[in-house]
Amino acid sequence: RRCVQETGVHGDFPGNTVVLKVIGKEYAKWTVQVPVVIVDADGNKRDRHKTETHSGKNYQLRHKYTIHTFGTQYAPKGQYSIPFSFKIPEYVPGSFKVDRLGVVGYVKYQIDAEIESLDSSFENMFYQQPITIREPIKDTVAAVVCEGNIVLQLSLIHI
């Protein structure tokens, strides 16, 4: 990935370290109808449903790497291409997004490149790039999603 830096205030940027952050976030939200029995003052029972919404979020990955340090306290004005590599842990799930039948969820990843300013009158230079992580299918997985009378079944078979 190429990170472009252009400054014109004093010619050079008051920062000398390029930091790379690799971030993976997961989010899920779903709504279910729960049966509820309501009893009135006379003891009569009525069946109703109440809606419950559940949600949660988590970080799958949060790593920070210093990928380049300039030889001075100022990063010279210009364009830079800085090669980097990192190993993605095997436990990290692949990227995905779902928004169907009352279920919303995703696992998404991004890379942030930043030069931190040494002078508080300058904001950090920042670039963000979403990335897709693919994972091999490891085992047979079966899932059933029910919504009213609709049943979806998903089967993934090891290849």
Side-chain angles (χ1 to χ4, degrees):
R1 204 39 137 161
R2 192 161 123 171
C3 200
V4 178
Q5 174 200 344
E6 294 182 10
T7 60
V9 179
H10 297 294
D12 296 332
F13 182 77
N16 64 348
T17 303
V18 181
V19 175
L20 186 78
K21 297 174 186 172
V22 183
I23 301 165
K25 300 175 189 176
E26 68 179 349
Y27 173 77
K29 180 178 178 181
W30 65 98
T31 303
V32 293
Q33 295 289 322
V34 179
V36 177
V37 176
I38 298 174
V39 180
D40 64 19
D42 297 329
N44 299 319
K45 295 180 181 179
R46 290 182 299 171
D47 292 332
R48 298 282 184 216
H49 288 87
K50 80 174 186 179
T51 301
E52 289 184 356
T53 300
H54 305 274
S55 66
K57 55 186 170 180
N58 188 37
Y59 281 95
Q60 284 292 333
L61 194 61
R62 285 188 359 185
H63 293 288
K64 183 176 178 178
Y65 306 96
T66 298
I67 60 169
H68 185 76
T69 303
F70 293 96
T72 67
Q73 292 293 315
Y74 291 88
K77 179 171 69 170
Q79 295 184 357
Y80 302 95
S81 179
I82 302 170
F84 63 87
S85 65
F86 56 89
K87 184 171 173 69
I88 298 170
E90 291 182 20
Y91 63 84
V92 171
S95 303
F96 81 93
K97 181 179 180 179
V98 65
D99 187 354
R100 186 173 181 171
L101 299 174
V103 176
V104 176
Y106 62 76
V107 174
K108 63 182 179 179
Y109 298 91
Q110 68 191 44
I111 293 178
D112 298 346
E114 186 172 23
I115 301 177
E116 296 172 351
S117 175
L118 300 173
D119 181 342
S120 62
S121 65
F122 285 80
E123 290 186 18
N124 292 352
M125 298 194 96
F126 182 79
Y127 179 78
Q128 186 176 76
Q129 177 67 48
I131 61 172
T132 300
I133 293 182
R134 306 228 186 267
E135 67 177 324
I137 297 173
K138 298 174 186 164
D139 296 310
T140 301
V141 177
V144 177
V145 179
C146 299
E147 178 72 22
N149 294 329
I150 301 170
V151 176
L152 300 174
Q153 185 163 357
L154 169 67
S155 296
L156 302 175
I157 301 170
H158 176 70
I159 298 177

